[in-house]
Amino acid sequence: MRVVILPNAEAVARFGADLVVEQLHTRPDSVLGLATGSTPVALYKRLVQACRTGRVSFSRARTFNLDEYLGLERCHPQSYHQYMRHHLFAHIDIPPEHTALPAGDTEDAFAACEDYERRIRASGGIDLQLLGIGRNGHIGFNEPTSSLGSRTRIKTLTQATIDDNARFYKDDECQPHMAITMGIGTILEARRILLLATGPAKAKAVSRMIEGPLGAFCPASALQLHPDTIVAIDQAAASNLVHGDFYQHVEKEHQQLLGRTGRHSAPLSLPTTKQ
Ligand code: GLP
């Protein structure tokens, strides 16, 4: 796990967006795994800007989102279909048929889960998976005690997650209690994973993910098994780490080594001074 500690949330968004841009420069027909929530909003804003200025094109890319609420029509304002349209898809040059989210409004949700797995496989698999993290350590909607080998399936949300997401719903609006989510096994098959976390509310989950024991009680800890995961966090989200200084030291050494060998790791905009 490469842990990159950045000064603030804006730097995290810049780091993430640069990584996505570099992925698309290297392979314009990349398959991207996308996430929702408040955390990636600033990253999506930067990608929209990069596309508008011609720095990147999504015309050959394909996307698969992590999750969608069960029972919400895709046109519902709180659906992740609408979130993606609003924050990204409507503003970039990706063909709509290249974008996919689990079908939370289908009659046969079990078949929809199997179909989603089939479509991911048929695309050749996810090249770069973007993730956020829940305060209870969930990734996608894989709540604590999710099987570390799980595939796309229906999950019942914990009260903690329902409460955390209640801010997006009006008082009289019905909030879903279930979702379709890629499984942890599905996520771990991505070739590269980029997890973003910002703010003090994520500090505990971040330290459990990076330093805690590997276990289903903190689903994000399963990323310890993945050979190419980058965790980009701000100082506040890093504040509970026991070995924060060490990760900063490792990152500096890593950048110097890459500089000496003439190789580049994305993005090149890492701070070079000690935080
Ligand atoms: C939801 C999403 C997750 C996301 C999490 C954290 O539960 N299903 O994919 O990581 O929220 O969201 P936020 O970035 O708003 O804290």
Side-chain angles (χ1 to χ4, degrees), residues 1 133 136-139 142-150 184 188 205 207-226:
M1 214 182 255
I133 184 170
N136 62 7
H138 75 234
I139 46 175
N142 293 285
E143 297 282 35
T145 71
S146 287
S147 156
L148 301 188
S150 52
I184 298 175
L188 290 177
S207 64
R208 290 175 69 211
M209 162 178 68
I210 298 171
E211 298 175 335
L214 169 68
F217 216 61
C218 177
S221 68
L223 299 176
Q224 293 172 23
L225 293 169
H226 192 271

Side-chain angles (χ1 to χ4, degrees), residues 34-41 66-69 80 83 130-136 138-143 157 161-162 164-165 167-168 179 181 195-198 201-202:
L34 299 179
T36 52
S38 316
T39 312
V41 169
L66 281 168
D67 45 19
E68 177 57 286
Y69 287 110
Y80 286 165
Y83 170 103
L130 190 63
L131 292 178
I133 184 170
R135 284 197 305 143
N136 62 7
H138 75 234
I139 46 175
F141 270 131
N142 293 285
E143 297 282 35
L157 307 182
T161 297
I162 293 168
D164 281 348
N165 289 338
R167 66 189 193 278
F168 297 113
T181 181
L195 184 142
L196 309 181
T198 57
K202 299 293 172 69

